[in-house]
């Protein structure tokens, strides 16, 4: 198993599938503590990515990630657009024009993506945002990638599992960023939709490698 | 050619309307609206912002955005474009900031000057502006203004939005600290809070390389009644 352009395209396709499948769930989560557009926006954004892939097949993982960044930033509309767009853009820059991305390089790309989200959104761990899924995912991916002769699938699995646990762990948090922060204490008891969509994206990466 | 201004709003109508308003006061400035999503919904679009930046003139561009994610989209566009040195984001309220920026651009300010004009509308303005009396009290000499002037408002409406924008915009392009009746002369909103009507006297104090030009600039505008009746 290698992380090449075929894997990247399959990953993006599975992301689109996941956003379509979980559209209502994300809308419901966002209705509780936001403005209920997250499911709609993510679904529309990744459908637009699929349309772009139909038009023009990228030649490298980096090119596919950059195209995704541009598309999400243009089509999503809400805050998730520039945040995920920046994540994919920084990941694209991190992998460069490599034909195959090594496990350590992928862990680095995830870290770059997370750093981009933090730079753009100014959220920190514990603010009840997508950063709470990204940060444990980055840490888990790095631990596996830094081990002896890491298998890339293990890196992807570690990131997905940590993101899912991170999303669940946003339940009791009080939001300090984004629209949910307007609710103050009342935001506790709900899962952050951005953390959930992050977990879906990183889980799709596993599916693409399976 | 002047600095180009790009207006990023969640709403296409807001971006278009604010552009229309500012263009009235700055007929020679290229102001490009980038509002709404590609398909006309409420939101912002990287493609629209990048397209606007692509049309900007060679004197650089200042980007002004409205709420939260519009700022993120504007920042993302700058990152996508490779953070060109002559394109900057102004942290300013959209309408007031845009008008002040447009007037500054019309007056020939560079990108930093235009951004400064936009950001000056935010609050009470840059501080501290030392006054001559403070200097005496502290026993310091030479800290008074380099140039001063007193000018009586002769236009019927006195100090309202358009005169304030003209004064603030022009001063933003000069290398001078300017106080008008004690408030920051580059801040359009601070000038408006003076609520100076016809017959009021504006006391102008200026420090810096362009201090004399600054006083003459304000004096010229006031004495000409800002071109108004």
């Amino acid at each position: 198993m290698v992380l090449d352009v075929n894997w990247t395209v399959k990953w993006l396709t599975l992301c689109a599938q996941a956003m379509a499948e979980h559209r209502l769930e994300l809308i419901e989560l966002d209705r509780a503590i936001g403005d209920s557009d997250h499911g709609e926006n993510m679904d529309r954004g990744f459908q637009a990515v699929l349309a772009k892939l139909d038009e023009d097949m990228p030649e490298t993982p980096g090119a596919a990630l950059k195209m995704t960044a541009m598309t999400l930033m243009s089509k999503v509309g809400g805050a998730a657009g520039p945040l995920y767009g920046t994540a994919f853009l920084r990941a694209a820059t991190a992998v460069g024009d490599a034909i195959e991305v090594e496990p350590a390089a992928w862990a680095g790309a995830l870290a770059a993506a997370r750093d981009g989200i933090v730079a753009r959104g100014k959220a920190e761990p514990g603010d009840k945002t997508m950063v709470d899924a990204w940060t444990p995912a980055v840490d888990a991916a790095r631990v596996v990638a830094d081990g002896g002769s890491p298998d890339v699938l293990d890196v992807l699995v570690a990131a997905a599992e940590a993101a899912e646990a991170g999303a669940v762990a946003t339940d009791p948090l009080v939001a300090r960023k984004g629209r949910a922060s307007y609710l103050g204490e009342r935001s506790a008891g709900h899962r952050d939709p951005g953390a959930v969509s992050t977990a879906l994206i990183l889980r799709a990466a596993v599916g693409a490698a399976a | 050619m002047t600095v180009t201004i790009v207006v990023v709003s969640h709403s296409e109508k807001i971006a278009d309307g604010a552009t229309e308003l500012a263009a009235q006061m700055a007929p020679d400035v290229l102001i490009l609206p980038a509002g709404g999503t590609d398909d006309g919904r409420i939101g912002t679009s990287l493609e629209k912002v990048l397209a606007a930046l692509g049309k900007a003139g060679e004197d650089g561009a200042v980007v002004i955005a409205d709420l939260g994610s519009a700022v993120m989209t504007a920042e993302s566009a700058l990152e996508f474009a490779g953070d060109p040195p002559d394109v900057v984001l102004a942290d300013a309220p959209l309408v007031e900031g845009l008008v002040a920026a447009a007037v500054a651009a019309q007056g020939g300010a560079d990108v930093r000057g235009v951004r400064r004009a936009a950001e000056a509308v935010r609050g009470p303005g840059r501080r501290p502006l030392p006054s001559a009396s403070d200097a005496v009290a502290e026993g310091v000499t030479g800290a008074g203004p380099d140039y001063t002037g007193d000018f009586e408002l002769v236009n019927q409406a006195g100090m309202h939005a358009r005169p304030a924008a003209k004064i603030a915009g022009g001063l933003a392009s000069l290398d001078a600290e300017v106080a008008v009746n004690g408030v920051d002369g580059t801040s359009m909103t601070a000038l408006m809070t003076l609520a100076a009507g016809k017959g009021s006297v504006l006391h102008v104090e200026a420090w810096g390389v362009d201090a004399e030009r600054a006083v003459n600039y304000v004096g010229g505008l006031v004495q000409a009644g800002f071109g108004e009746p």
Side-chain angles (χ1 to χ4, degrees):
Chain A
M1 173 60 217
V2 291
L3 302 185
D4 57 9
V5 71
N6 290 328
W7 168 80
T8 314
V9 169
K10 192 171 174 198
W11 175 34
L12 296 170
T13 308
L14 291 179
C15 284
Q17 210 174 309
M19 293 308 154
E21 275 170 21
H22 294 267
R23 183 172 159 274
L24 286 176
E25 178 194 338
L26 292 174
I27 287 173
E28 285 307 316
L29 290 172
D30 199 24
R31 194 192 308 284
I33 57 170
D35 53 4
S36 68
D37 65 355
H38 192 57
E40 186 89 38
N41 286 345
M42 293 302 288
D43 184 27
R44 184 189 322 101
F46 273 100
Q47 288 304 319
V49 171
L50 282 191
K52 278 273 164 64
L53 288 172
D54 271 347
E55 272 170 35
D56 188 14
M57 188 52 80
E59 290 182 4
T60 62
L65 297 174
K66 188 165 183 189
M67 177 279 290
T68 303
M70 179 86 179
T71 307
L72 293 180
M73 284 190 202
S74 295
K75 301 296 178 193
V76 171
L83 290 171
Y84 278 121
T86 302
F88 277 94
L89 181 59
R90 297 282 176 97
T93 306
V95 302
D97 51 11
I99 301 297
E100 291 179 6
V101 182
E102 298 301 319
W106 186 247
L110 290 177
R114 188 269 318 270
D115 293 348
I117 290 167
V118 170
R120 193 65 77 229
K122 316 277 189 296
E124 290 170 10
D127 284 351
K128 195 181 184 92
T129 71
M130 60 173 74
V131 172
D132 293 318
W134 277 97
T135 296
V138 167
D139 294 344
R142 182 161 284 153
V143 167
V144 176
D146 286 350
S149 58
D151 183 86
V152 74
L153 183 61
D154 294 338
V155 175
L156 299 177
V157 169
E161 287 177 353
E164 285 159 357
V168 172
T170 64
D171 288 4
L173 297 177
V174 173
R176 289 195 294 251
K177 278 283 168 190
R179 205 166 303 215
S181 64
Y182 302 166
L183 294 174
E185 299 287 334
R186 280 181 293 141
S187 63
H190 299 281
R191 193 160 301 173
D192 178 66
V196 173
S197 58
T198 293
L200 291 172
I201 288 169
L202 295 179
R203 175 55 67 185
V206 177
Chain B
M1 201 60 209
T2 70
V3 169
T4 301
I5 304 173
V6 176
V7 187
V8 183
S9 170
H10 278 66
S11 154
E12 191 167 0
K13 286 181 182 169
I14 288 178
D16 290 350
T19 298
E20 192 182 10
L21 174 68
Q24 255 201 336
M25 300 191 201
D28 302 321
V29 180
L30 181 59
I31 307 173
L32 300 168
T37 62
D38 292 350
D39 48 359
R41 289 175 301 112
I42 293 291
T44 49
S45 159
L46 179 80
E47 278 177 39
K48 281 195 179 187
V49 180
L50 284 177
L53 288 176
K55 286 187 217 153
E58 56 193 29
D59 288 335
V62 172
V63 183
I64 299 184
D66 61 2
L67 309 164
S69 67
V71 176
M72 287 199 276
T73 298
E75 287 173 352
S76 302
L78 264 53
E79 181 170 340
F80 231 95
D83 288 316
D86 57 346
V87 179
V88 299
L89 190 61
D91 179 14
L94 190 78
V95 176
E96 291 90 336
L98 173 61
V99 170
V103 175
Q106 177 77 28
D110 63 7
V111 286
R112 318 281 151 204
V114 171
R115 177 171 64 181
R116 191 163 73 125
E119 295 183 347
V121 304
R122 244 195 206 299
R126 289 167 293 152
R127 299 195 63 82
L129 289 167
S131 74
S133 55
D134 287 347
V136 172
E138 291 162 19
V140 179
T141 55
D146 297 327
Y147 286 88
T148 63
D150 292 284
F151 309 102
E152 183 180 334
L153 289 167
V154 296
N155 60 315
Q156 287 295 343
M159 178 72 74
H160 61 101
R162 196 189 307 252
K166 280 187 177 171
I167 292 175
L171 292 180
S173 65
L174 298 179
D175 184 8
E177 298 280 326
V178 186
V180 177
N181 291 2
V183 305
D184 182 357
T186 64
S187 168
M188 180 181 159
T189 44
L191 290 169
M192 287 174 69
T193 60
L194 293 175
K198 184 184 179 191
S200 303
V201 174
L202 297 187
H203 178 58
V204 184
E205 300 166 285
W207 295 257
V209 178
D210 290 333
E212 185 178 9
R213 283 181 66 198
V215 174
N216 285 332
Y217 173 75
V218 177
L221 282 175
V222 172
Q223 284 161 357
F226 305 97
E228 299 175 359

